[in-house]
Amino acid sequence: MTEFTTSHDSETDPRTRMECGVCWTVYDPAEGDPLGRAAPGTPFAALPDDWCCPTCDAPPVKFLRLDDDR
């Protein structure tokens, strides 16, 4: 089962994938976001201040932690 919590949890593992609550795009730190200036290995909490969802332009506060068993 998948669970969601708010994105700005200070105890979130840097490898945690985050999912946009607007369009469901997943930010995977292992992949980063080349268009959003995030190199592979960049944790969600370390994204640039002006980063937004690459699909719908939602701000980071709209992202939810994706807890899955991958």
Side-chain angles (χ1 to χ4, degrees):
M1 178 180 235
T2 301
E3 294 179 21
F4 297 99
T5 60
T6 58
S7 66
H8 294 291
D9 180 351
S10 61
E11 295 183 23
T12 298
D13 185 317
R15 298 169 296 172
T16 298
R17 297 182 325 138
M18 303 294 286
E19 186 170 57
C20 180
V22 176
C23 71
W24 310 115
T25 294
V26 173
Y27 175 78
D28 186 343
E31 296 176 14
D33 177 14
L35 298 176
R37 302 178 325 276
T42 303
F44 189 81
L47 290 170
D49 290 338
D50 61 346
W51 185 87
C52 58
C53 177
T55 303
C56 73
D57 291 329
V61 297
K62 295 293 186 180
F63 277 70
L64 307 167
R65 187 173 72 200
L66 181 58
D67 291 332
D68 57 10
D69 297 328
R70 45 167 233 151

